Amino acid sequence: MNFQVHVVPHPVTRQRLFDIARRYNFDIIHFACHANQDGVFLTQNEFLDVVGIVQLTRAADATLVFINACKSAEIGQALVDEGIAATIVTLATVPDTMAKETAQLFYKELARDGNIRRAYTASKPPIRGGYILLTDGQLDNIELTLILERLCELENLLKNNAHEHTLFRNTIAENIREIGEV
């Protein structure tokens, strides 16, 4: 997968964020900042509250909001409650080095196969109170839809050639294992 990244130049203000969100569509909005349970801190003493983050996410048509800030779980849950498909947030204080490494690994894994849940699982540091993925269930529906589409394609192969029967049976077993890992 190939991703285009748009880094918001300093100073990061509410106005600048909304201007960019209205100009482009983004699948992911990533905040690397400080936060509290009510929102994220921008530069120049600006604060973007949960309502503003929801509005920004909707303006950008994003599926995922990654808030790489300490103790951001309440924000993430509020976003999911407002209909944002998924958030990655932290449960506690996370050292800056760990935050940077986790984000780098997450995006590397996401670029590999495009699956948010698998990228999260592969990048989540093994510490208590670290990162958590919150979803509204739509990620699971998207994944299931892709699996069902693959199964339909394999079923068509089966109808055309008996050799694909083995392939079909093996792939179903692989998909069942993948679902079990999710």
Side-chain angles (χ1 to χ4, degrees):
M1 289 196 129
N2 187 13
F3 291 101
Q4 293 182 351
V5 176
H6 189 98
V7 177
V8 179
H10 188 76
V12 179
T13 63
R14 178 186 177 92
Q15 184 63 47
R16 186 170 274 175
L17 288 173
F18 276 90
D19 287 346
I20 291 168
R22 288 183 189 109
R23 213 173 316 147
Y24 306 99
N25 281 339
F26 295 97
D27 295 317
I28 301 168
I29 295 176
H30 183 103
F31 290 97
C33 58
H34 295 285
N36 67 25
Q37 70 275 7
D38 298 319
V40 297
F41 293 95
L42 307 175
T43 53
Q44 299 180 338
N45 295 321
E46 280 196 65
F47 186 75
L48 187 62
D49 64 8
V50 172
V51 172
I53 298 170
V54 169
Q55 292 170 340
L56 180 70
T57 305
R58 288 181 178 153
D61 199 27
T63 300
L64 171 68
V65 178
F66 191 143
I67 303 177
N68 209 356
C70 297
K71 301 178 184 176
S72 54
E74 285 185 46
I75 302 168
Q77 186 60 57
L79 295 174
V80 170
D81 290 347
E82 288 297 320
I84 306 305
T87 62
I88 296 176
V89 292
T90 64
L91 296 168
T93 301
V94 177
D96 289 346
T97 304
M98 181 184 295
K100 180 180 176 183
E101 290 170 357
T102 300
Q104 288 172 336
L105 184 55
F106 172 78
Y107 290 113
K108 177 182 175 186
E109 292 296 320
L110 186 62
R112 197 168 55 80
D113 79 353
N115 183 287
I116 291 171
R117 188 174 301 281
R118 283 195 292 265
Y120 162 76
T121 301
S123 65
K124 180 181 177 211
I127 64 164
R128 193 170 190 179
Y131 290 83
I132 185 168
L133 172 65
L134 303 170
T135 73
D136 66 355
Q138 295 304 309
L139 289 180
D140 298 326
N141 291 341
I142 292 167
E143 184 69 19
L144 183 60
T145 300
L146 294 174
I147 290 170
L148 291 174
E149 287 173 3
R150 289 188 349 215
L151 288 174
C152 287
E153 290 172 18
L154 291 171
E155 183 178 28
N156 288 334
L157 286 173
L158 177 61
K159 289 177 185 175
N160 295 327
N161 188 334
H163 171 70
E164 276 76 10
H165 179 71
T166 304
L167 174 66
F168 181 67
R169 194 171 33 205
N170 290 342
T171 304
I172 287 178
E174 290 170 16
N175 284 326
I176 290 170
R177 277 192 298 273
E178 283 180 22
I179 292 170
E181 292 172 5
V182 172

